[in-house]
Amino acid sequence: MAARPPSPSLPTAVTGGASRDAKTRPAPLARDITLRQLRYFQAAAETGQFSMAATREHVSQSAITNAVLALEQRLAVRLFDRLPHGVALTAEGHRLLQRVAGILDSVEDMLREPSLQGPGQQGTVSFAASYTVLGYLLPALLARFRSHYPDIVFDLRDLDRVEIEEAVLSGEIELGVVLLSNVTRAQRFAHRTLIRSRRQLWAAPGHPLMQGGAPTLKEVAAHPYILLTVDEGETSTLRYWKSKRLAPDIAFRTTSMEALRGLVAHGFGVTVLSDMVFRPWSLEGKEIEARPLADAVPDMEVGLIWRRDEPLSEPAQLLRDFLVYACGAP
């Protein structure tokens, strides 16, 4: 194991306090540390896995890794011990986590002040989401939106992608939250990407594909494959397999994410799915591992669609802009 860096007390940018000699004091550390880095660190600390933190924050795993590395380098301490199946906080990491929780809570409290929310925003926003988006992305985001705008009412519907497109075009709903990578003729809509979620191989611990280097799709094709069919999963999966002139050896098809996790965890097959829906265990608590593929596989893209020819109501604009901001979309 690599030697730990020295463990000084946490710098004043995190702990508070200031030098009285402003002329000789070095540039504040806070200039180099962002709230996003602190939030990603907190997610990694609370989940114990960078992959799970990425899923919770709806970003790539590399975003979590880079944020933690930047904090460790800037603070000159090791915040996590890297373990075979996750990470564990060091003593310095525990101390920083206590500080970070207070910092992020204070920011949330500040943003919830009525004076910063706008003068009593009210109204109803009609929108719809598909199965995957509704189950794995929206609930936490909508809870955050409601904390800022408690008087805006949700008219939320669970529809499939085709139904959402038709409802947006007809004006029945204002916004659709969909898998943009599945939308046909996206130019019919105004649209905005929220997240791009990397697809990885899922398998039980000890599976041959989890040994050695990153596997190729050709290597995956030699093993039984569990295919998720919900939200046009079969169509989108076979699309990138066909682009490589390959086909998975489909052992089971299922519309149930929990059934898929159970089959994978019990060794009945492997699958390739996005980080957004990844959980490192089945319903029974058996472990699942994920790893990148050697082949370039398209990300799952989640985003918003709305009518081009009609302005959004104020509540819909607020929700659209909030989701774009909360997901860190460019």
Side-chain angles (χ1 to χ4, degrees):
M1 180 181 292
R4 284 191 180 187
S7 304
S9 59
L10 292 175
T12 57
V14 174
T15 62
S19 168
R20 294 186 178 181
D21 189 354
K23 294 182 179 180
T24 60
R25 184 181 66 184
L29 291 175
R31 291 181 182 175
D32 303 318
I33 295 176
T34 67
L35 288 175
R36 183 170 295 178
Q37 289 172 336
L38 298 182
R39 193 174 77 242
Y40 291 177
F41 161 74
Q42 183 185 53
E46 291 177 352
T47 60
Q49 289 191 326
F50 286 178
S51 60
M52 281 296 295
T55 299
R56 191 175 97 172
E57 294 296 317
H58 314 302
V59 296
S60 67
Q61 185 170 331
S62 62
I64 303 293
T65 302
N66 292 339
V68 170
L69 288 175
L71 284 174
E72 289 183 323
Q73 291 170 3
R74 195 65 187 93
L75 300 176
V77 295
R78 184 186 295 277
L79 300 173
F80 291 100
D81 286 324
R82 275 64 169 178
L83 307 175
H85 301 295
V87 293
L89 284 169
T90 62
E92 294 86 354
H94 276 291
R95 292 174 56 220
L96 180 60
L97 180 61
Q98 293 174 354
R99 300 285 188 178
V100 165
I103 292 168
L104 296 179
D105 286 346
S106 295
V107 172
E108 283 293 319
D109 291 342
M110 177 189 71
L111 293 176
R112 289 176 185 174
E113 287 290 332
S115 61
L116 298 179
Q117 293 181 24
Q121 304 291 350
Q122 296 180 341
T124 298
V125 54
S126 59
F127 63 111
S130 56
Y131 169 87
T132 304
V133 177
L134 191 56
Y136 295 93
L137 177 68
L138 278 186
L141 293 172
L142 294 181
R144 288 171 57 190
F145 179 84
R146 177 177 287 172
S147 72
H148 295 302
Y149 303 103
D151 295 323
I152 291 180
V153 177
F154 295 147
D155 175 11
L156 172 59
R157 310 176 195 187
D158 179 1
L159 303 174
D160 64 33
R161 191 261 308 168
V162 173
E163 292 172 327
I164 293 173
E165 291 183 17
E166 292 174 350
V168 168
L169 290 173
S170 70
E172 183 180 349
I173 61 174
E174 293 190 87
L175 291 170
V177 195
V178 296
L179 303 184
L180 275 181
S181 40
N182 292 344
V183 171
T184 55
R185 300 187 356 251
Q187 67 273 14
R188 293 178 296 161
F189 305 94
H191 57 88
R192 184 71 176 267
T193 298
L194 294 177
I195 66 166
R196 290 183 174 89
S197 182
R198 172 184 55 173
R199 287 184 168 101
Q200 295 197 87
L201 175 71
W202 299 11
H207 191 282
L209 291 174
M210 293 296 174
Q211 316 301 317
T216 63
L217 284 178
K218 185 176 182 180
E219 292 171 323
V220 174
H223 297 267
Y225 192 91
I226 315 298
L227 181 64
L228 186 69
T229 59
V230 72
D231 252 356
E232 303 172 279
E234 183 163 1
T235 300
S236 58
T237 295
L238 296 182
R239 186 183 301 131
Y240 60 79
W241 277 89
K242 287 177 180 177
S243 72
K244 303 291 184 183
R245 299 184 178 181
L246 295 167
D249 180 15
I250 300 172
F252 299 96
R253 286 178 169 86
T254 179
T255 60
S256 168
M257 184 68 72
E258 295 305 334
L260 178 142
R261 288 196 181 99
L263 290 167
V264 170
H266 283 279
F268 286 97
V270 301
T271 195
V272 176
L273 284 172
S274 81
D275 288 344
M276 189 181 82
V277 298
F278 179 70
R279 301 291 183 273
W281 56 80
S282 69
L283 199 60
E284 313 94 322
K286 290 188 67 67
E287 190 175 355
I288 301 169
E289 293 183 351
R291 68 176 310 180
L293 290 159
D295 292 299
V297 173
D299 294 341
M300 186 178 76
E301 187 178 359
V302 180
L304 295 162
I305 59 173
W306 64 95
R307 287 181 64 169
R308 283 184 173 276
D309 58 353
E310 188 170 320
L312 292 172
S313 67
E314 186 172 5
Q317 289 182 49
L318 288 170
L319 179 59
R320 179 195 61 189
D321 295 346
F322 174 85
L323 291 175
V324 169
Y325 171 79
C327 291

